[in-house]
Amino acid sequence: MNELIPAFSNAALEMALAALLLYGFLRFVAWSPGSRAALPQIQSHALWTAVIAFFASSTNSLAALGRLPEEAGRVPASWGQLTAGQTVELAVDAAGPAFWLGACYVIGQHTWPKPAGPVRRATLEVRRVRDYPPRGLAALFACCTASAVAAAASMLWMPGRAGTPGAGTVGDLTAEVGMPGLLPGSIVGTALLGGLALLVGAVALAARVIVRRPPLSALEADDSRTLRRIWLNRLLRTASLVAFGFTGAALAYRGEAAAGPGSLLPLALPQLQTAHGIGTAVLVAAVLLWAPPTLRADRDSAEATQGTFRAAQYHQHLALFFATILAVVGWVVAAPLRLPPEAYSDPLRDEQGRPAGPFPFDAAAVAALQVLIVAGLYLACLLIMEFLLARAHGDPRRTPPDHSALLPGWLRALALALVALTATTLGVVGLSRGGATLGPALTAAACLLAVGALVLALAWLARVRRPLGLASPLDDRETRMVTVHRAVRALGAASLALLAQLIRLDQHTFPWLDGALVPNLLLGAAVVLCYLPARMPGSPVPRPALAERSSA
């Protein structure tokens, strides 16, 4: 018990800090300085909350639930025999998806944009939770939860298994592989059942908060009810995927438990797992096609026509959303890129998994390639969306005016300083290796130049594209400014990310920066820089009265 309290305290502190960051980000999205359109602001806030909840409630942590190291010779028989670390890890992994799903939606309800009017409208409407959720989605969530409960309950009587670091055999082939141990099903099954109970409670709590929150003054009564249904639609769709993920975790455990200690094929029960894979594909397709309703104000608004500032602003919101998704996909693809251990002068690793000896300069080129993949996908998406913006909302009969001053001086100077600092660090790292070889040096330089070329192309397209057909010159200028800001901020963020990777890799050149704190801070600063608003102090765009910004 004495060991459990500090372990749970540390885990709770980390989750509280993550929730605080989530609250701050959603507050930042709701703040949107200089925005005049309440409806796009509300839609953007709701969409970001749903996207964050979708990724934060991932069930990937359940894939290895209950595994023990290969050298583990003792298998705990009950929760009381687990170490403090095992107990906390098991509880956090099982409760994490449900906790973050509920936390994202509850926090989202408390970070709504401030009302456009002086006060919120009072209403005597009686709102009950059962009147809002879509019946079909509620039934789908119930079915997915029931399948997860049945799969988890079937594990409760399965025995555990000690780790076996010996050889494995398939036919006449023998390989030196180990088999990880497994906790008993009575422990893993109860953890999964507890996670499912928390999931049901989190969905019920989030639904209650969504239904009971005060209406927004920017929306009519019908649109306010529709907005609640949109939130509940997204909540139940994500919750159904999470519940079915628990089913997959239970089947994966049964498959590993059924595998023999000397087998090279750790997954058994192929029929059930194939059925679960097909069910997951069908469920994902159903969730994607089960679109939420649309707001009447969005459908009927005269400002939502082609070529207006409202339409261009919505297009840019979509561009940022899709670019962020592609950047995440790029990181998933780029993160596994590693040099083989034999490429290092000393292939031994320390406690954090870093090379014990100096790393070759090739690793810096690999880091630059990782940054290029992530930043390249992000900038390429913005470039394509800017081209589509010109085609969909631009007027070829209008000549674009001069837009040479779209950036504040401080942002331009900051981006150039970060690029120079990263290039200098690359040079220092290369010299510390006794001189970088030509191939890796050219690779790293080419990656930085490629990112810079994409930034220049995006900034150039934003300056010369067709003006908006039904927007004032100042509104048109603001849309260009947003794109140029995003391009230059992405360049600075890419430089910071590469700098963080270099410091993380080369602890021998930078011994005073030993540890993961500085690289993590630099990565956090890169994310903050990438998503700074275009409306910042020092911006060259004026803030005229609304009357001066009427449609052309």
Side-chain angles (χ1 to χ4, degrees):
M1 182 62 69
N2 293 334
E3 297 177 355
L4 276 178
I5 294 177
F8 272 113
S9 299
N10 292 335
L13 179 60
E14 292 177 0
M15 299 174 79
L17 290 176
L20 183 62
L21 290 176
L22 172 63
Y23 179 85
F25 177 78
L26 292 178
R27 270 291 188 186
F28 167 75
V29 174
W31 170 43
S32 191
S35 177
R36 311 186 316 277
L39 185 58
Q41 185 179 352
I42 293 172
Q43 290 174 320
S44 175
H45 175 271
L47 180 61
W48 274 110
T49 304
V51 170
I52 293 173
F54 175 80
F55 286 104
S57 60
S58 170
T59 56
N60 290 336
S61 61
L62 302 177
L65 198 68
R67 284 188 183 179
L68 295 173
E70 296 175 3
E71 60 273 11
R74 186 184 68 87
V75 180
S78 63
W79 281 89
Q81 297 181 10
L82 296 176
T83 65
Q86 289 175 328
T87 303
V88 173
E89 182 181 5
L90 197 61
V92 171
D93 288 345
F99 173 81
W100 287 116
L101 177 65
C104 289
Y105 277 93
V106 171
I107 291 175
Q109 298 304 307
H110 294 282
T111 54
W112 278 100
K114 293 181 179 180
V119 295
R120 293 184 177 183
R121 296 192 306 269
T123 177
L124 297 178
E125 178 187 7
V126 177
R127 296 188 296 270
R128 297 174 297 184
V129 175
R130 65 174 180 270
D131 296 335
Y132 284 88
R135 300 290 178 86
L137 277 177
L140 179 65
F141 172 62
C143 292
C144 292
T145 304
S147 70
V149 170
S154 67
M155 302 163 43
L156 296 177
W157 294 273
M158 301 193 71
R161 182 184 67 213
T164 54
T169 303
V170 174
D172 297 332
L173 300 178
T174 301
E176 294 294 331
V177 295
M179 178 67 66
L182 285 177
L183 290 173
S186 58
I187 297 178
V188 182
T190 52
L192 289 177
L193 290 174
L196 286 169
L198 183 61
L199 175 64
V200 174
V203 170
L205 175 62
R208 179 180 176 85
V209 174
I210 291 171
V211 171
R212 294 298 181 90
R213 67 155 180 81
L216 298 178
S217 60
L219 298 178
E220 300 295 333
D222 290 342
D223 274 342
S224 182
R225 285 191 291 269
T226 303
L227 186 61
R228 301 180 200 276
R229 292 190 175 95
I230 292 174
W231 278 80
L232 290 172
N233 176 286
R234 292 169 175 168
L235 171 66
L236 289 174
R237 286 192 295 169
T238 306
S240 299
L241 291 174
V242 173
F244 208 60
F246 275 80
T247 305
L251 293 179
Y253 176 88
R254 289 181 61 88
E256 292 216 26
S263 174
L264 288 175
L265 302 175
L267 294 181
L269 306 179
Q271 294 83 3
L272 281 178
Q273 294 189 350
T274 300
H276 177 263
I278 296 174
T280 301
V282 173
L283 180 62
V284 170
V287 163
L288 290 176
L289 295 176
W290 213 317
T294 56
L295 297 174
R296 187 181 63 179
D298 191 29
R299 297 192 304 266
D300 300 340
S301 175
E303 294 182 351
T305 57
Q306 195 174 23
T308 61
F309 174 72
R310 171 73 67 80
Q313 193 179 45
Y314 179 70
H315 185 98
Q316 288 185 321
H317 286 325
L318 285 180
L320 181 60
F321 170 70
F322 289 131
T324 302
I325 297 299
L326 280 180
V328 173
V329 172
W331 175 246
V332 172
V333 173
L337 295 179
R338 297 283 191 277
L339 287 179
E342 56 268 19
Y344 293 88
S345 59
D346 185 354
L348 297 178
R349 303 277 172 153
D350 59 15
E351 300 82 19
Q352 284 76 35
R354 298 189 301 262
F359 80 101
F361 192 75
D362 303 56
V366 173
L369 182 61
Q370 290 175 325
V371 173
L372 172 62
I373 292 174
V374 177
L377 288 175
Y378 178 85
L379 290 169
C381 181
L382 292 181
L383 188 64
I384 294 173
M385 294 297 286
E386 188 70 14
F387 176 76
L388 295 177
L389 174 66
R391 294 293 300 270
H393 304 286
D395 186 355
R397 297 168 298 179
R398 301 177 63 183
T399 303
D402 178 38
H403 293 294
S404 56
L406 293 174
L407 281 176
W410 68 267
L411 182 56
R412 188 184 298 111
L414 177 62
L416 292 176
L418 291 176
V419 172
L421 177 61
T422 303
T424 303
T425 306
L426 271 174
V428 170
V429 170
L431 292 175
S432 68
R433 310 266 80 73
T437 56
L438 182 60
L442 290 178
T443 301
C447 291
L448 286 177
L449 289 176
V451 174
L454 285 172
V455 170
L456 291 177
L458 181 57
W460 174 81
L461 181 60
R463 287 182 54 189
V464 303
R465 65 164 170 79
R466 301 170 181 174
L468 298 178
L470 299 176
S472 69
L474 286 174
D475 284 336
D476 180 71
R477 180 185 177 87
E478 182 173 338
T479 59
R480 300 174 193 270
M481 180 196 70
V482 168
T483 300
V484 175
H485 267 247
R486 288 175 179 173
V488 176
R489 293 195 310 262
L491 177 62
S495 302
L496 276 175
L498 179 55
L499 184 62
Q501 290 291 82
L502 292 176
I503 294 176
R504 189 190 302 274
L505 284 170
D506 196 1
Q507 297 291 334
H508 297 80
T509 304
F510 308 101
W512 61 90
L513 298 178
D514 188 26
L517 178 61
V518 173
N520 288 341
L521 288 177
L522 289 176
L523 288 176
V527 174
V528 171
L529 177 61
C530 191
Y531 290 97
L532 281 177
R535 289 279 192 188
M536 294 291 290
S539 173
V541 179
R543 296 177 180 238
L546 293 181
E548 298 177 12
R549 300 178 67 108
S550 57
S551 298

